[in-house]
Amino acid sequence: MTTRITRREVETLSAYLDGQLTHKERARLERDLQTRADLRALLADLQRTRGLLRSQPVLRAPRNFTLTPQMAGVKTSRSASRRLVPAFGLVSVMAAALFMLVLVGDFLSLGRQPALFQVASRSASLPMQVEAPMEVEAPASLEAGALEPAAELQGVTEAPPPAAPLAESAFAQTTPTPAPEATLQAPSLAEAYPPPGEELAKSAGAVQDVATTAALTEPPPASQPTAVAQAEELAAEEPVVEEPVEEETRAAQPPIQPRWQTWRLAELTLGLMALFFGMIAYVLSRSRRV
Amino acid sequence: MDETALIRSAQRGDLDAFNRLVLHYQDVVFNQAYRMMGESEAAEDAAQETFISAFRNLRSFRGGSFKAWLLRIVTNACYDELRRRKRHPTTSLQPLDNEDDEIETPRWLRDHSEMPEEQLERDELGSAIRHCLDDLPPEFRAVVILVDIQGLDYSEASAVTQKPIGTIKSRLARARMRLRDCLQGVWELLPAQYRLFIEGKP
């Protein structure tokens, strides 16, 4: 009797070789193997084939397959710092270039600095000089609105042509020679600059003098102090005309020192930045080579 | 080697720990690739790709057999390469013999430390097995390599191929049947001593 081996029987024989059958399946197959020669022959063939395959040596890897950080895509902290080297170098170079620009600018402006220094030192020794006239001017300016005639008087002292006739008539009552007095008052007030106390005292004295003359000539009572204040104001403005350099420097005095310090501060900051970032770039580039 | 600890370290990004696992499993992975691809260079490429892919996807490993996990990656890598070759066939640079068959290792590069007769037998048997394996469909080939060459059991092979055990059982039986037919002539040529040795293997 010839029977054809089914696909299921082949699977059972294959699993039987591997010990993958249950106890029941194995018992039934062993019973069939005793009665069927074709099954026994096939089992022998499969066992041989399996033996041939299992006789193959385990090959050793021809090389190691260990991964490098690049292969694994691992970003190390060192490689991250390496990427910063050009950035640090660039910042250092830019800071150095700016440092040079600031240095050149500083040298170019150095020609003006001696004069500024002189003024700065002079003004530093006289801190109240600038403020003193302002204090005197303050009450005059407050009353300026109420004392219109005094403005005419001031106009005379300044000697502008249009107001001349009126001013002359008005001023003639107070002082016989307005121009010399104005010139006299101006230096006297200008000389009164150094000590503010003296200036105030002189101003008070001047006010008193004018008040007495005003009382003699009977001008409007309210205009008397204003006229004096205006006169002082004029006197305060006089030195401006006579010494323009001093006034200019006085006006420019506050920004002088900060500007000079800004140059130095910028130079220092940029120099330190250039050095600092340059050193970092150098150290990182050195560590890259190691 | 505490494999679990090494895997945990590698999952945290420790490349040294992973490389220790690589050194432990590289022979298994290379063998699988070599039997699947049939040539050394392609097997090396597949093995290297396997370890790179394994490291990058290590977080997806949820425990179980690390060996089976690696074998699954390398088997899939080989499937991909074989499919690519099927779409874009290439001409081999290996030398050809008289019958226009590729000679993987030229005679002038062969190791002569073995006795010539033993070497000839081993070479012929190995060449025959490789040739017969190449004739199998990749799915059958993978299963027979995993079970009969790598020595995995059915459940491990099922884990590697992600197929049910019944499928493994079926594919293995059919693969063995085809290999039996293919290796019939080779068997007859093997010396009796060698045949006895093979039949005695469990």
Side-chain angles (χ1 to χ4, degrees):
Chain A
M1 173 181 99
T2 55
T3 53
R4 188 181 172 79
I5 298 171
T6 63
R7 193 171 142 184
R8 185 175 181 81
E9 285 171 332
V10 173
E11 285 179 15
T12 306
L13 282 173
S14 175
Y16 175 72
L17 286 173
D18 297 322
Q20 295 288 325
L21 294 179
T22 62
H23 183 71
K24 196 177 171 181
E25 288 172 329
R26 197 172 73 183
R28 190 168 56 194
L29 177 65
E30 286 175 349
R31 205 169 44 243
D32 291 343
L33 282 171
Q34 285 176 355
T35 57
R36 290 175 58 183
D38 56 343
L39 276 183
R40 285 197 300 273
L42 180 60
L43 180 65
D45 284 350
L46 288 175
Q47 194 168 10
R48 214 176 290 151
T49 306
R50 181 172 172 269
L52 280 174
L53 293 170
R54 294 201 170 203
S55 70
Q56 289 299 291
V58 176
L59 301 173
R60 291 190 65 82
R63 62 178 175 88
N64 283 339
F65 295 108
T66 50
L67 304 186
T68 61
Q70 288 77 22
M71 290 161 77
V74 176
K75 291 175 184 172
T76 58
S77 58
R78 199 172 159 190
S79 66
S81 65
R82 281 177 194 173
R83 267 182 271 120
L84 290 175
V85 170
F88 282 131
L90 184 66
V91 171
S92 175
V93 167
M94 287 178 71
L98 280 173
F99 173 75
M100 292 304 293
L101 278 174
V102 169
L103 203 65
V104 167
D106 193 10
F107 276 127
L108 287 176
S109 66
L110 204 61
R112 290 190 304 169
Q113 279 187 4
L116 299 178
F117 265 125
Q118 284 175 3
V119 175
S121 59
R122 276 171 61 184
S123 57
S125 66
L126 306 169
M128 295 298 288
Q129 280 185 357
V130 179
E131 293 176 12
M134 297 294 286
E135 286 172 6
V136 178
E137 280 178 8
S141 61
L142 280 172
E143 294 175 18
L147 304 172
E148 284 294 325
E152 293 176 355
L153 193 68
Q154 186 186 1
V156 176
T157 52
E158 287 173 356
L166 259 174
E168 270 181 13
S169 60
F171 209 74
Q173 293 175 341
T174 55
T175 51
T177 50
E181 190 175 340
T183 49
L184 280 172
Q185 269 188 349
S188 66
L189 285 171
E191 283 168 4
Y193 260 72
E198 277 183 32
E199 183 183 320
L200 280 172
K202 280 189 176 182
S203 311
V207 168
Q208 208 170 5
D209 289 343
V210 176
T212 49
T213 52
L216 288 171
T217 54
E218 293 178 3
S223 68
Q224 285 175 0
T226 314
V228 173
Q230 295 288 347
E232 283 180 6
E233 194 176 13
L234 279 173
E237 287 173 1
E238 283 290 333
V240 176
V241 180
E242 289 175 2
E243 298 178 39
V245 176
E246 191 174 349
E247 183 61 31
E248 184 186 330
T249 51
R250 206 181 298 155
Q253 186 184 352
I256 288 169
Q257 220 160 0
R259 197 174 69 180
W260 181 78
Q261 285 174 352
T262 307
W263 280 112
R264 292 291 174 273
L265 196 66
E267 285 166 10
L268 189 69
T269 308
L270 289 170
L272 285 175
M273 274 179 68
L275 274 175
F276 178 70
F277 285 106
M279 281 179 69
I280 289 178
Y282 176 74
V283 168
L284 288 177
S285 62
R286 289 283 295 179
S287 68
R288 174 170 26 186
R289 286 180 206 147
V290 175
Chain B
M1 183 185 76
D2 186 356
E3 186 178 291
T4 310
L6 287 176
I7 291 168
R8 282 205 197 108
S9 296
Q11 282 177 325
R12 288 193 294 269
D14 186 348
L15 190 58
D16 291 336
F18 183 77
N19 279 335
R20 289 182 65 187
L21 293 165
V22 171
L23 291 173
H24 185 70
Y25 286 113
Q26 62 183 4
D27 289 343
V28 172
V29 169
F30 176 75
N31 262 280
Q32 181 72 12
Y34 180 76
R35 301 295 178 190
M36 286 291 292
M37 301 303 298
E39 55 175 285
S40 185
E41 283 181 11
E44 283 185 47
D45 292 344
Q48 190 67 77
E49 284 299 317
T50 296
F51 288 119
I52 291 170
S53 176
F55 183 76
R56 289 178 181 167
N57 298 289
L58 202 55
R59 288 178 190 279
S60 67
F61 177 67
R62 303 288 178 205
S65 170
F66 191 67
K67 178 184 173 183
W69 188 68
L70 287 175
L71 284 171
R72 182 166 78 226
I73 295 173
V74 71
T75 304
N76 288 333
C78 292
Y79 283 159
D80 292 343
E81 178 61 19
L82 290 169
R83 274 194 289 267
R84 193 190 67 78
R85 286 185 181 189
K86 200 173 178 181
R87 285 196 302 270
H88 308 286
T90 55
T91 305
S92 174
L93 294 174
Q94 299 275 4
L96 303 177
D97 59 12
N98 295 335
E99 297 172 356
D100 284 348
D101 289 331
E102 289 176 7
I103 303 171
E104 187 181 346
T105 307
R107 289 187 185 278
W108 59 87
L109 289 177
R110 285 182 181 168
D111 181 11
H112 295 283
S113 59
E114 272 185 310
M115 291 294 288
E117 288 174 5
E118 291 173 1
Q119 186 186 327
L120 186 64
E121 287 163 7
R122 184 177 292 277
D123 286 351
E124 284 184 357
L125 179 61
S127 178
I129 288 174
R130 190 167 54 249
H131 178 75
C132 292
L133 282 172
D134 286 348
D135 282 347
L136 290 176
E139 294 78 14
F140 289 13
R141 196 187 314 167
V143 172
V144 80
I145 291 168
L146 288 170
V147 176
D148 282 341
I149 296 178
Q150 300 278 20
L152 272 60
D153 60 28
Y154 285 16
S155 60
E156 288 174 323
S158 169
V160 170
T161 57
Q162 294 188 304
K163 298 289 179 191
I165 287 182
T167 306
I168 299 297
K169 198 173 165 181
S170 168
R171 286 183 179 178
L172 184 61
R174 293 168 71 181
R176 281 172 174 168
M177 284 296 285
R178 290 199 186 195
L179 286 171
R180 182 201 68 158
D181 297 340
C182 182
L183 292 170
Q184 196 76 43
V186 177
W187 179 258
E188 300 299 328
L189 294 172
L190 286 175
Q193 194 178 356
Y194 198 71
R195 279 192 275 180
L196 284 171
F197 165 75
I198 289 171
E199 282 175 341
K201 280 183 86 72

